[in-house]
Amino acid sequence: MTTPTKEDGCLLIIGGDEQRQCRERILARFVELAGGPGHPDPNVVLLTSASQEPEEMARPYQEALARLGVTRCDIVHAANREQANDPAVAERIAHADGILITGGDQKRLMATIGGTAVDQALHEALKRRCACVAGTSAGASAMAGHMLASGSAEYAPAKGAATLGAGLGFVQHIVIDQHFSQRHRINRLLSLIAQNPYLYGLGIDEDTALVVERGVGIEVIGDGGVTLVDGRAMITNAADIGEGEQAELIGVQLHVLPAGSGYLLPGAQASTRLKHIEREAPAPIQAFISNLTKRNPLS
Amino acid sequence: MTTPTKEDGCLLIIGGDEQRQCRERILARFVELAGGPGHPDPNVVLLTSASQEPEEMARPYQEALARLGVTRCDIVHAANREQANDPAVAERIAHADGILITGGDQKRLMATIGGTAVDQALHEALKRRCACVAGTSAGASAMAGHMLASGSAEYAPAKGAATLGAGLGFVQHIVIDQHFSQRHRINRLLSLIAQNPYLYGLGIDEDTALVVERGVGIEVIGDGGVTLVDGRAMITNAADIGEGEQAELIGVQLHVLPAGSGYLLPGAQASTRLKHIEREAPAPIQAFISNLTKRNPLS
């Protein structure tokens, strides 16, 4: 069981938690991941730029974090790109132990912070300062380089049913959807995968989160599960059909990991961050997990 | 393009059609399949034993079939096993060109006709008389040997979430679910597959049907799609977890075929029953389609 070093930032990708049954359990893990061993009171920032109501969005998190013993919880609300490029604002993020990107609209979030000093500070916190970067709902989708921006496909995967935008890029070649089972979003995710087979699909249920320890492995926590979709070997007619038409998909690999599930990369040592996770990823999901946990460099 | 011979009965598996937008299109195909070339007015039987309200269940079909030019449409309602063993009742089925098993409760249906003279007559009509046997909703689920009997799993595949019963067995090693996308039943189907990896899963949307020409191929018609789930190479913990717990599934093959899609078995010749279907099934679904179209003998 190894203890993380200063190089090992980690991610907590949360599927939204309207019901909030597991919020405190998930937030307790966030506090642990942000604090690290012997550091029980991390310096936490709530980044609320996905929402136009930052105080309302932040309040339940502030209250829950206070109950969990966090004494330093700062709200950062860059409301426009000028604010997101303010060095003083970015500084607060770069020096946080844990940053939670709250929900709202991921398009608003990225239109506000994408490519700014705040964006850069998030990457520095993750990759240089061993911080935990968490995102919930819109904040979760924005963690991918290719961000699921909008769209819906309730009953069938269809061409053009969902759109991509440029996300934060903590993980690459992956598209993240949230509120996944509760909002029946598998067809929305498949719609994107059909047109973008080199993206892996990651769907996270409400009250559920995925811990991603870079270079080590993953763990599912909370109440629901995580769905992985791998269309790399898929046969599809998506390129040939018209906008809005239902797509044919043959040979999609589907994996469902419930809470408690988790895997290490082949050869990785068990870590204090991934609790009770000691099994190596089996062959069908090795490439997915290897990609998900890749230590993408600071760009 | 070959014309079916007297050995080639066919199946029409309909996903239920509450909205009835495509009912007439699907029923028109049923009439064609039942009649065959040069036989435009087939002898049709509606088998209503899945319901306790046979007349109400049958009426919209009678009306639609009449609009389609069918002059001989007979309702057979075996309400108990004694009636289902009545040779006169079975005779009406054995001599039909097309039999449509209507909806209701597949457990009621099988408790009433399973293993009776009516059951035997359905197999004879299909396998000896080149009839088309169609089933919608409960009638669709009952067409498999292992019948999805009941259960629900809205948000995650879970152990014991769905139960099996003994079905009619026109197709073997397959479990059929209906109203599939509309009732968000993928997790119910995955729950069964997790515990029964040697069954293929077949989910059919509303207003949608699958034409199965034994020994030849398949075609999806209607408004929605058909979802195929293949867990033969899956890794799962279903045997190790408790009743009601969420299952882990790794390496499930998922295929989505929209209306208009269809495939021939490798080496099979295009047939007049499968319209415009000329492509061979690609490798990832060959075994599934080969099993689905198998000419199971009269037992």
Side-chain angles (χ1 to χ4, degrees), chain A residues 154-155 157 181-182 184 190 205 223-225 235 246-258 261 263 279 282 284-285, chain B residues 154-155 157 181-182 184 190 205 223-225 235 246-258 261 263 279 282 284-285:
Chain A
E154 194 172 0
Y155 297 142
S181 294
Q182 289 75 14
H184 307 297
L190 288 173
D205 291 350
D223 194 46
I235 301 167
Q246 292 178 25
E248 178 180 79
L249 286 76
I250 292 175
V252 175
Q253 282 268 321
L254 176 75
H255 319 291
V256 183
L257 307 183
S261 178
Y263 290 101
R279 291 181 303 171
I285 55 170
Chain B
E154 194 173 358
Y155 297 143
S181 295
Q182 289 75 14
H184 306 298
L190 288 172
D205 291 350
D223 194 45
I235 301 167
Q246 291 178 26
E248 178 179 81
L249 286 77
I250 292 175
V252 175
Q253 282 267 323
L254 176 76
H255 318 291
V256 183
L257 307 183
S261 178
Y263 291 102
R279 290 182 304 171
I285 55 170

Side-chain angles (χ1 to χ4, degrees), chain B residues 72-235:
Chain B
R72 294 169 297 165
C73 179
D74 199 7
I75 300 179
V76 170
H77 183 70
N80 53 50
R81 293 184 68 79
E82 193 184 348
Q83 290 173 14
N85 273 316
D86 180 339
V89 172
E91 187 87 344
R92 289 157 71 192
I93 287 170
H95 288 91
D97 302 313
I99 302 113
L100 172 60
I101 310 171
T102 56
D105 176 359
Q106 58 262 47
K107 298 185 295 299
R108 170 177 303 281
L109 175 68
M110 291 312 300
T112 307
I113 70 164
T116 66
V118 161
D119 180 342
Q120 182 69 16
L122 286 166
H123 283 266
E124 284 184 11
L126 175 72
K127 296 170 185 173
R128 292 236 170 98
R129 295 202 55 259
C130 190
C132 175
V133 180
T136 184
S137 195
S141 285
M143 294 171 100
H146 292 86
M147 176 181 77
L148 203 166
S150 62
S152 68
E154 194 173 358
Y155 297 143
K159 186 167 181 168
T163 61
L164 289 175
L168 290 162
F170 300 129
V171 295
Q172 297 288 351
H173 309 150
I174 289 180
V175 61
I176 300 173
D177 209 350
Q178 12 76 18
H179 301 277
F180 191 69
S181 295
Q182 289 75 14
R183 297 191 188 171
H184 306 298
R185 284 179 162 169
I186 188 160
N187 286 313
R188 163 161 123 161
L189 192 58
L190 288 172
S191 300
L192 270 182
I193 298 306
Q195 288 185 263
N196 302 277
Y198 100 113
L199 299 181
Y200 294 93
L202 174 61
I204 304 190
D205 291 350
E206 292 178 2
D207 289 320
T208 307
L210 186 67
V211 183
V212 177
E213 183 166 358
R214 290 154 45 95
V216 179
I218 63 166
E219 179 184 353
V220 183
I221 63 172
D223 194 45
V226 163
T227 300
L228 314 182
V229 173
D230 178 351
R232 290 171 307 154
M234 165 187 66
I235 301 167

